[in-house]
Amino acid sequence: MLDKIRKKAEEELQSGVSEKNHAYRFATLASIRNNQPKCRTIVLRAVENNFNIIFYTDSRSDKVEDFQNNPNASALFYNHDSLLHLEVRGKAKVITDPNLINAHWEQVKDHSTKDYTTEKAPGTRIKHPDEVEYSENNTNFSVVELVANEVEVLQLKRPNHIRSRFYKNENSKWIGKFLNP
């Protein structure tokens, strides 16, 4: 049963990448800033090696600095239709390989490229939303991989919720156990 739960969670994550309107397309990402959790919404761009998730950001964003100071991160996914809750925990790393970055940049839709080409860094104070200025280059585009080391799955259902946790052993094989919901 644990193996089925893990495979279902993997399939749901993959659907978050491939299906535009899937609930797992968006996740809440938590990083650590000044010893406090900091949450924000990210868009799931890829899933690799079972549960490693890929997302994009501006290299000047707080989360990049957060990961440089403390790579521990968590991404929370919730599907309100299936009542499936999934948390992926691990270490976030900013990809530095220019070939990988360019390959991901090629996947960014034209209307979304502006999200990574603002003249000012994300979070910079402006007087009005119409003041946002854009540049012609993508030098602030970053790819981040959350390398999973633990996954928790909670299936809300009656008569009993089912909660399980999976972690990698020394051979990078996923080991699962049930938890009291």
Side-chain angles (χ1 to χ4, degrees):
M1 184 174 191
L2 281 167
D3 206 38
K4 281 185 179 181
I5 291 170
R6 184 180 51 79
K7 293 220 180 287
K8 171 72 172 161
E10 290 174 20
E11 289 169 6
E12 288 288 314
L13 272 179
Q14 288 294 345
S15 293
V17 174
S18 62
E19 298 173 25
K20 185 178 179 182
N21 294 320
H22 194 279
Y24 282 10
R25 181 105 174 134
F26 298 95
T28 300
L29 176 79
S31 63
I32 305 296
R33 174 168 281 273
N34 299 325
N35 245 4
Q36 297 291 320
K38 168 89 183 200
C39 295
R40 77 276 284 159
T41 302
I42 58 163
V43 179
L44 181 63
R45 301 298 183 174
V47 179
E48 298 179 353
N49 299 324
N50 304 80
F51 290 106
N52 292 358
I53 64 171
I54 303 284
F55 60 93
Y56 305 153
T57 192
D58 186 304
S59 62
R60 302 165 296 173
S61 71
D62 287 348
K63 62 181 122 0
V64 171
E65 182 181 336
D66 293 350
F67 298 144
Q68 290 168 343
N69 293 327
N70 184 340
N72 293 308
S74 176
L76 179 65
F77 300 85
Y78 181 69
N79 186 330
H80 62 276
D81 292 329
S82 66
L83 303 177
L84 188 65
H85 169 284
L86 174 66
E87 183 182 9
V88 178
R89 296 182 200 118
K91 307 270 186 205
K93 66 176 185 176
V94 179
I95 303 299
T96 56
D97 180 336
N99 293 327
L100 277 175
I101 294 168
N102 286 334
H104 281 279
W105 179 252
E106 295 296 321
Q107 301 300 312
V108 177
K109 305 274 190 269
D110 287 339
H111 65 277
S112 295
T113 58
K114 69 180 187 125
D115 296 339
Y116 311 102
T117 60
T118 59
E119 287 287 337
K120 295 180 180 176
T124 301
R125 186 176 177 167
I126 56 177
K127 291 180 183 175
H128 192 275
D130 292 337
E131 286 186 358
V132 178
E133 297 174 10
Y134 299 95
S135 69
E136 295 296 318
N137 64 56
N138 66 345
T139 58
N140 298 314
F141 176 72
S142 286
V143 179
V144 179
E145 180 178 18
L146 176 56
V147 180
N149 56 31
E150 190 173 309
V151 175
E152 194 163 310
V153 181
L154 174 62
Q155 177 66 66
L156 300 174
K157 62 186 270 177
R158 296 287 176 222
N160 299 313
H161 303 317
I162 300 171
R163 184 175 174 190
S164 53
R165 181 177 295 143
F166 300 90
Y167 60 93
K168 287 184 182 176
N169 67 9
E170 60 276 351
N171 299 323
S172 295
K173 182 177 182 210
W174 288 103
I175 305 297
K177 59 185 173 185
F178 288 110
L179 302 174
N180 189 41

